[in-house]
Amino acid sequence: MTSHVITFPDDFFWGAATSAYQIEGAWDEDGKGESIWDHFCHTPGNIEDGSTGDVACDHYHRWPEDIALMKELGLKAYRFSVSWPRILPAGRGKVNQAGLDFYSRLVDGLLEAGIEPFPTLYHWDLPRSLQDEGGWAARSTAEAFVEYTDVLSRHLGDRVKHWITHNEPFSVAFLGHQIGEHAPGLKDTPTSLKVIHHLLLSHGWAVPVLRRNSPGAEVGITLVCIPIVLASSSADNLRVGRKLDGQFNRWYLDPLYGRHYPADQVAEHIADGNLPAEGLVFVEPGDMEAIAAQTDFLGVNYYTTIVLRDEVVPEGENQPPVSSVSEVECTDMGWPINPDGLYQLLNRLHFEYQPGKLYITESGASYSDGPDKDGRIRDQRRLNYLRQHFAAAQRAIKCGVPLAGYFVWSLIDNFEWNKGYAQRFGLIWVDYETQQRILKDSALWYKQVIADNGLVTPT
Ligand code: GCO
C-alpha cells in the first residue's frame, strides 16, 4: 500500500466540540434554572444507565484545566454550547449574572489560549418553565429565544466572532418529540412539525439580533445531515430513499435556503394525518422569509449514513428496509461507518444549497477503549475513523467545497444523552470517579495533524 500526504487550507479551523449539558455538571449552582434535560434525567427510566448530567465532567469548575488540554492539543477553535437556563433561569425575564460571567470567563480563557470560540446558543437544554408553557410547540418559545440571544450576544458579542444558533433541529424534533428518547420525551409527530417550525423561526429571528450585537461576526446554524445510501436504482428503493432524505435532510435545508418545506413531504404528512388537509397551518405570513435569513455558514454534523436494502416496501409502510448492523462496519453506537458519505454530502450541500461556507461542527466515533495497564489508551479505531473522514473532507475541499473547519465530537468523553456514560466519543478519556483526564492515542495523533495542518493517508 502506498501513502501520501494531504494538507488543508492555511486558516483551517481544527477544533473539537462539546455541549453544556453533556459536560458542565453544576446543574443547580449559582442561580441556574432547571432545564428539560435536568427534569428528564431525574425521572427514573429515561436514561439507560440511570445516570444524569448533574456532575458530568464537572467542566463548570474544571474549565481552566480543559482549556489547558485544548491548548496542549493545539486546537484552533472550540465549539461549546451555552446553557440557556444559566443565563435566564426562567427562560425569559430575570437575567442571572453568574451565568453570564461563567461564559465570559470561558471566552476570555479561550482567546488567551489562542483558541477561537464557536458558541452554540441552543444544544437542547430548554429552561423547564418554557416547556411548561408548551416548549418549542409554542410560538412564544421562539420569542423567548430571541430575548435570550439578545442578552447573551450583548454580553459576548465583542469577543465572539462565530455564532451557531441551533444544534440539530432534527434531533430535537425526532428524538425529543417523535420517539420520546430525548427530553421532553414526547411521541407526537404533529407536535414535532410545529416544534421544527418554531426552532427554524427562532433561528431566523436571532440572525439579525446577532448581527446587531456582534458586528462582523459569522452567523450560522448546525444541522445533522444523514445521507441515504441506496441499494439499487429500483423505483421502490428510490422512492424510499427520497422519502427518508426528505424527512432527515430536505425538511430542514429547503426552508433555510428559501425553498419552503418540501412539497412531497408536506403531501406525505397530510396523507399520514400528521398535518390537516390545509397543510402547514402554523406557518404565519413572513415566517418563511425570516427562516431563510442570509447566513454566513452552514454547520454540518456528520456521523453516519442510512444504508438501504433493496426490498419492496408497501406505500405508507413506516419501517424502511435498512441494512442491519451486522451487514456493515459500525461504531459502538451501531452507526455505519461511511467516510465517502461525508465527501458526497459536502459536495451536495455546496452544489445544491450554496451555503457560502461550511464547517463540520461535529464528527466522531464512540468506542469504549480505556486505559491499558500502562495507562495508555489505544483507541486505534477512532484514529482510523478520523483519518478516513479528514481525508474525505480534504477531497471535498479539492473539489471546490468551501469547508473552513472541522470540529471533532468530542473533546472529552461525556454524557451521551439517553445512553448515559456508556458511550465514549472523547479524544480525551474521563475517569468519572476522579474526574481525571487522559489524552487518548487519537488525541495525540490529532495534535500532530493540527501541527502539520495535514496527515498521511493510505491511497
Ligand atoms: C448530536 C449532538 C451530540 C451528540 C453526538 C453523539 O449530534 O447528537 O450534537 O450532543 O452527543 O452527536 O451522538
Side-chain angles (χ1 to χ4, degrees), residues 108-328:
D108 287 344
L110 288 166
L111 292 172
E112 271 163 36
I115 300 165
E116 197 62 29
F118 276 63
T120 301
L121 288 159
Y122 187 72
H123 202 128
W124 311 350
D125 45 357
L126 186 73
R128 187 180 170 196
S129 49
L130 292 182
Q131 188 63 44
D132 294 342
E133 296 171 23
W136 285 108
R139 207 173 158 93
S140 53
T141 295
E143 287 159 8
F145 179 78
V146 178
E147 182 178 329
Y148 157 57
T149 301
D150 186 40
V151 170
L152 188 72
S153 57
R154 269 172 205 259
H155 207 74
L156 303 180
D158 56 335
R159 287 157 287 161
V160 167
K161 296 293 165 226
H162 301 85
W163 294 93
I164 297 166
T165 54
H166 282 282
N167 178 67
E168 301 190 4
F170 164 80
S171 304
V172 176
F174 181 73
L175 302 171
H177 296 82
Q178 273 184 45
I179 63 170
E181 286 186 2
H182 280 192
L186 301 183
K187 294 182 185 163
D188 181 354
T189 301
T191 296
S192 78
L193 297 176
K194 273 194 238 167
V195 164
I196 297 166
H197 185 64
H198 295 142
L199 286 164
L200 297 180
L201 188 59
S202 73
H203 153 79
W205 284 344
V207 170
V209 175
L210 291 167
R211 296 217 186 282
R212 187 183 67 223
N213 293 344
S214 195
E218 287 187 355
V219 179
I221 187 170
T222 281
L223 301 180
V224 59
C225 295
I226 311 177
I228 314 298
V229 180
L230 301 179
S232 78
S233 55
S234 74
D236 200 55
N237 214 245
L238 278 168
R239 178 179 62 77
V240 172
R242 185 150 173 83
K243 178 173 171 166
L244 289 175
D245 184 52
Q247 242 171 284
F248 288 93
N249 305 313
R250 287 185 287 125
W251 192 265
Y252 303 85
L253 286 160
D254 282 10
L256 286 168
Y257 292 98
R259 302 182 189 176
H260 215 295
Y261 293 102
D264 61 319
Q265 290 293 298
V266 174
E268 296 244 14
H269 280 306
I270 294 173
D272 294 346
N274 298 323
L275 286 173
E278 312 80 70
L280 301 156
V281 288
F282 43 76
V283 177
E284 296 188 11
D287 284 4
M288 300 317 295
E289 292 74 16
I291 289 173
Q294 176 80 38
T295 50
D296 305 296
F297 65 86
L298 174 66
V300 178
N301 291 355
Y302 179 81
Y303 291 90
T304 187
T305 49
I306 291 176
V307 187
L308 292 183
R309 259 187 283 126
D310 197 13
E311 270 172 26
V312 177
V313 190
E315 286 282 354
E317 174 66 68
N318 280 327
Q319 293 296 326
V322 173
S323 291
S324 74
V325 170
S326 58
E327 290 165 308
V328 275

Side-chain angles (χ1 to χ4, degrees), residues 17-19 22 79 123-124 167-168 171 175 182 222-224 301-303 333 335 361-366 409-410 414-417 419 423 425:
T18 62
S19 89
Q22 295 180 275
R79 175 177 180 239
H123 202 128
W124 311 350
N167 178 67
E168 301 190 4
S171 304
L175 302 171
H182 280 192
T222 281
L223 301 180
V224 59
N301 291 355
Y302 179 81
Y303 291 90
M333 286 292 274
W335 294 347
T361 41
E362 283 179 33
S363 171
S366 170
W409 184 272
S410 178
N414 58 49
F415 179 74
E416 180 55 24
W417 308 111
K419 311 271 183 231
Q423 298 290 336
F425 279 86

Side-chain angles (χ1 to χ4, degrees), residues 62-72 106 109-110 113 115:
R62 292 169 193 265
W63 62 269
E65 180 191 344
D66 290 337
I67 290 181
L69 289 167
M70 294 179 216
K71 196 170 174 187
E72 188 178 335
L106 182 68
L110 288 166
I115 300 165

Side-chain angles (χ1 to χ4, degrees), residues 428-456:
I428 298 173
W429 168 270
V430 176
D431 178 332
Y432 294 109
E433 296 291 310
T434 62
Q435 291 295 346
Q436 191 199 357
R437 277 90 159 123
I438 306 173
L439 302 192
K440 301 180 188 177
D441 277 3
S442 61
L444 299 168
W445 173 80
Y446 189 34
K447 178 179 175 170
Q448 195 58 47
V449 170
I450 298 172
D452 297 344
N453 198 28
L455 55 136
V456 179

Side-chain angles (χ1 to χ4, degrees), residues 351-378:
F351 185 75
E352 215 175 300
Y353 295 98
Q354 305 199 349
K357 199 187 254 194
L358 287 151
Y359 291 104
I360 296 167
T361 41
E362 283 179 33
S363 171
S366 170
Y367 290 112
S368 58
D369 310 290
D372 287 334
K373 284 218 172 63
D374 59 1
R376 185 172 147 197
I377 299 158
R378 294 170 170 81

